[in-house]
Amino acid sequence: MGLRLDVCGLSRSVFSDLDACLECEVDMVHTFIPTSDVQRIHTIKKSREEVLDMAIRAVEHIKDHGVKCMFSPMDATRTDFDYLLQISKAVQEAGCDFINIPDTVGVFVPSAMKAFIADIKKDITIPIDVHCHNDFGLAVANSLAAVEGGGMQVQVTINGLGERAGNADLAETVMSLHSIYGAKTNIKTEYLVETARMVERYTGVRIPPTMPIVGDNAFAHESGIHTHGVLTRTDTFEPGIMTPEMVGHKRRIVMGKHAGRHAVIKTLKDAGLEPDNDQLNEIMSRMKDISNKGKSITDSDLFAITEAIIGKVKKSERPIDLIEVSVMTGNIITPTASVKAMVRGEEKVGASIGVGPVDAALNAVQSIINGQRTMKLRDFKIEAISGGSDALAEVIIGVEDDKGRIMTARAANEDIVMASVEALVTAMNRILMMK
């Protein structure tokens, strides 16, 4: 594949397992054996002397085949320290290339890990590698502390995958080393997000939105003061030493009830939409109404809302100003709708039936302008902008008058009936304003 890497086989300190790895022609064999009393006694039922002998023989067997060797005293952080040093020195003398220190059940804290590695390093000259579990959410912190203590290698997994609560995460560890510590690795950080999402697809294990570095919200901003700051200068509410571009991510301005005007204006302007101040107020109001119902607002939702509002006739100029819409429907009753609106300054009420709630509502709206101009529905199109049962619906309606002129209008609302009525009223208003 042209990759600069060593393929490593993981094996118990048992000859049959070691040989299975060697037969695969791996570049390195990582062999391990429990060394803590709790694991040694209750899992492999061996004495300390037996474990020491098995470890030495395993390392010698690997090196006799001319392959790199890594050795792990499993559950090292719960192993008697003198015994841990004894076995580490013994495998080093047997030719081991790397000593791996695993925090197998994730019980260390960073300050202890740093001191632990530093103490081991006093007696061990070969590179020290660490393998940290995340049972208390400390895997990355412990891995970084191990580096501070003199560790030369860190074992990580993509998206922190692993048994129980997982292992130290690749992206978090690498970006901390690069951006905070100023250390360098061979990792091409601009592919971190792409790689994380690929693993997400293959494993089916979802990346939480709030996961550092690669989560959807890692560089997302909604709160007004945050978005204003980030749009002015990105490091106001981002680390600065790490940007979304460095990891293959994108900065997102999230639309929601906390989104500020600056964020909305910037997002709309980038899309070529420039509402006036009154229209912007209505857009902000609509966004807050939708967000208060528990729905997330996507950029597509925002654009649909904006286009519908920009396309509306100004309130002061509307021949029809809708006040109220009521719809009754069901499987054993005829869909019926009633509407109340101001029509050229006069309150009008209309009601009608239809083949469904939308049809009934549209018929009722048309009924309140009888005699002013004959109109008929020419086109009707509806689509969900975003997924889910609470998706925002966008309705596009075409209305034709008695002179054959067609006016098209659109509306967006989480209620399909309301979106349909709003689009129809907008189209009718435009026709009524035509001479």
Side-chain angles (χ1 to χ4, degrees):
M1 296 176 65
L3 300 175
R4 292 184 300 158
L5 54 81
D6 285 341
V7 176
C8 179
L10 182 65
S11 168
R12 296 177 300 172
S13 296
V14 177
F15 277 25
S16 59
D17 287 11
L18 296 169
D19 289 337
C21 286
L22 294 167
E23 288 170 9
C24 292
E25 298 182 351
V26 296
D27 302 295
M28 180 168 66
V29 176
H30 179 178
T31 186
F32 64 92
I33 192 167
T35 55
S36 68
D37 289 343
V38 64
Q39 287 199 1
R40 177 180 56 77
I41 294 170
H42 298 288
T43 61
I44 60 174
K45 296 177 171 56
K46 301 287 185 182
S47 67
R48 287 188 176 184
E49 291 72 25
E50 289 174 308
V51 166
L52 178 62
D53 181 62
M54 290 175 67
I56 293 170
R57 291 172 58 208
V59 171
E60 290 175 341
H61 186 68
I62 295 167
K63 297 306 296 180
D64 285 345
H65 287 78
V67 175
K68 293 179 184 177
C69 175
M70 177 181 287
F71 173 78
S72 285
M74 193 160 129
D75 205 17
T77 53
R78 295 195 297 177
T79 298
D80 175 78
F81 189 74
D82 290 338
Y83 180 60
L84 178 67
L85 278 183
Q86 181 186 6
I87 199 168
S88 297
K89 289 178 183 178
V91 295
Q92 178 177 263
E93 291 172 6
C96 184
D97 298 287
F98 304 93
I99 293 285
N100 171 255
I101 301 298
D103 186 19
T104 304
V105 291
V107 293
F108 252 28
V109 295
S111 56
M113 178 62 82
K114 180 179 178 180
F116 194 63
I117 297 300
D119 286 343
I120 295 172
K121 195 171 175 63
K122 292 174 184 177
D123 293 284
I124 298 298
T125 58
I126 58 177
I128 296 175
D129 176 275
V130 291
H131 176 98
C132 297
H133 281 261
N134 206 35
D135 296 74
F136 285 91
L138 295 172
V140 172
N142 280 333
S143 297
L144 297 173
V147 172
E148 290 186 14
M152 295 299 294
Q153 293 183 171
V154 177
Q155 293 189 6
V156 294
T157 63
I158 296 170
N159 298 344
L161 295 176
E163 62 264 40
R164 303 187 313 279
N167 296 80
D169 174 66
L170 166 70
E172 294 172 30
T173 305
V174 167
M175 291 314 299
S176 293
L177 288 171
H178 282 217
S179 298
I180 298 175
Y181 287 85
K184 295 300 177 185
T185 71
N186 288 326
I187 300 296
K188 294 181 178 179
T189 62
E190 63 270 23
Y191 295 108
L192 286 172
V193 171
E194 181 181 340
T195 304
R197 289 175 178 171
M198 178 186 70
V199 171
E200 178 187 46
R201 291 195 303 272
Y202 288 158
T203 63
V205 179
R206 294 292 165 225
I207 299 172
T210 54
M211 188 168 184
I213 318 297
V214 300
D216 284 345
N217 290 356
F219 296 95
H221 307 273
E222 178 182 347
S223 174
I225 189 172
H226 283 225
T227 54
H228 189 190
V230 165
L231 291 172
T232 303
R233 177 168 167 161
T234 58
D235 62 358
T236 52
F237 286 98
E238 287 179 2
I241 54 176
M242 176 180 68
T243 67
E245 293 77 18
M246 288 169 65
V247 300
H249 219 321
K250 289 184 179 180
R251 183 176 295 107
R252 287 193 309 120
I253 304 300
V254 179
M255 297 300 108
K257 62 183 177 182
H258 300 300
R261 294 174 73 89
H262 288 88
V264 175
I265 292 170
K266 174 68 164 56
T267 302
L268 293 177
K269 187 173 183 180
D270 288 346
L273 299 169
E274 297 190 25
D276 61 29
N277 192 58
D278 290 340
Q279 291 167 339
L280 183 60
N281 289 337
E282 189 172 352
I283 291 166
M284 299 293 294
S285 178
R286 285 291 305 278
M287 286 173 56
K288 285 180 170 59
D289 287 344
I290 294 170
S291 296
N292 285 334
K293 294 174 183 175
K295 175 176 168 50
S296 298
I297 300 175
T298 66
D299 286 351
S300 296
D301 292 335
L302 173 63
F303 299 152
I305 291 169
T306 302
E307 288 170 351
I309 289 173
I310 288 176
K312 275 186 177 181
V313 177
K314 289 185 177 181
K315 187 176 179 66
S316 60
E317 301 173 0
R318 295 173 192 169
I320 305 172
D321 191 10
L322 192 65
I323 299 172
E324 181 183 310
V325 178
S326 299
V327 177
M328 181 173 62
T329 188
N331 64 331
I332 58 173
I333 60 173
T334 301
T336 305
S338 64
V339 298
K340 180 189 292 185
M342 298 299 293
V343 181
R344 298 193 188 280
E346 182 182 353
E347 186 176 292
K348 296 278 188 177
V349 177
S352 185
I353 61 173
V355 295
V358 173
D359 185 51
L362 298 181
N363 290 339
V365 173
Q366 293 183 77
S367 73
I368 64 175
I369 62 156
N370 280 344
Q372 295 197 31
R373 186 166 295 181
T374 302
M375 300 186 207
K376 63 180 179 180
L377 191 63
R378 176 70 178 265
D379 299 302
F380 180 87
K381 180 182 178 183
I382 184 170
E383 58 184 49
I385 299 170
S386 51
S389 59
D390 63 346
L392 200 67
E394 182 175 32
V395 174
I396 302 171
I397 280 179
V399 173
E400 183 177 1
D401 70 358
D402 50 6
K403 296 181 181 180
R405 295 177 296 189
I406 298 173
M407 187 63 67
T408 301
R410 68 177 66 212
N413 199 299
E414 64 273 27
D415 185 319
I416 294 173
V417 174
M418 285 305 302
S420 303
V421 172
E422 288 172 4
L424 177 67
V425 169
T426 297
M428 293 171 70
N429 274 329
R430 289 178 181 171
I431 287 179
L432 290 172
M433 292 172 68
M434 295 169 67
K435 295 180 180 180

